[in-house]
């Protein structure tokens, strides 16, 4: 009988742990979903430098006349040459 009780104890313990893990994962998933809903836009939009074609996050890019540049130097270079 002792072996059966030990087995049942392990089964109960295993089920309890599995239950905890599943609950934890569900909580993480719902948290992630809430965060995604709070931020519908992509956190870092990639833009292309008009001067050299480099791709970089919008937060690090320089804007001018609806165009994006990787740096102020390239913005000035592009503005300083004739273009259409
Ligand atoms: Zn550039």
């Amino acid at each position: 009988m002792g072996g059966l009780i030990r087995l049942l104890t392990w089964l109960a313990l295993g089920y309890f742990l599995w239950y905890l893990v599943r609950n934890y994962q569900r909580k993480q998933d719902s948290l992630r979903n809430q965060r995604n809903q709070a931020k519908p836009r992509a956190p870092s939009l990639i833009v292309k430098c008009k001067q050299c074609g480099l791709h970089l996050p919008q937060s690090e890019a320089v804007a001018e006349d609806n165009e994006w540049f990787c740096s102020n130097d390239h913005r000035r270079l592009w503005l300083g040459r004739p273009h259409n």
Side-chain angles (χ1 to χ4, degrees), residues 2-3 5 10 13 15 23-26 33 36 38-39 45 50-52 60 63 65 73 80 82:
I5 287 172
W10 280 115
L13 199 67
Y15 178 79
N23 246 16
Y24 178 75
Q25 284 176 341
R26 264 201 205 150
N33 287 341
N36 285 347
K39 278 187 188 173
L45 189 67
K50 193 77 178 173
Q51 174 67 22
C52 68
E60 296 172 24
D65 280 344
D73 285 348

Side-chain angles (χ1 to χ4, degrees), residues 49 51-54 69-71 74:
C49 174
Q51 174 67 22
C52 68
L54 185 83
F69 302 92
C70 67
S71 62
H74 278 184

Side-chain angles (χ1 to χ4, degrees), residues 2-53:
L4 185 63
I5 287 172
R6 207 184 300 158
L7 182 68
L8 286 175
T9 306
W10 280 115
L11 280 176
L13 199 67
Y15 178 79
F16 180 64
L17 284 175
W18 172 77
Y19 180 78
L20 280 182
V21 169
R22 199 186 57 166
N23 246 16
Y24 178 75
Q25 284 176 341
R26 264 201 205 150
K27 204 183 280 179
Q28 292 293 305
D29 279 349
S30 66
L31 276 176
R32 211 177 298 142
N33 287 341
Q34 279 170 12
R35 241 175 271 149
N36 285 347
Q37 281 163 6
K39 278 187 188 173
R41 286 179 61 192
S44 59
L45 189 67
I46 300 298
V47 294
K48 192 177 173 185
C49 174
K50 193 77 178 173
Q51 174 67 22
C52 68

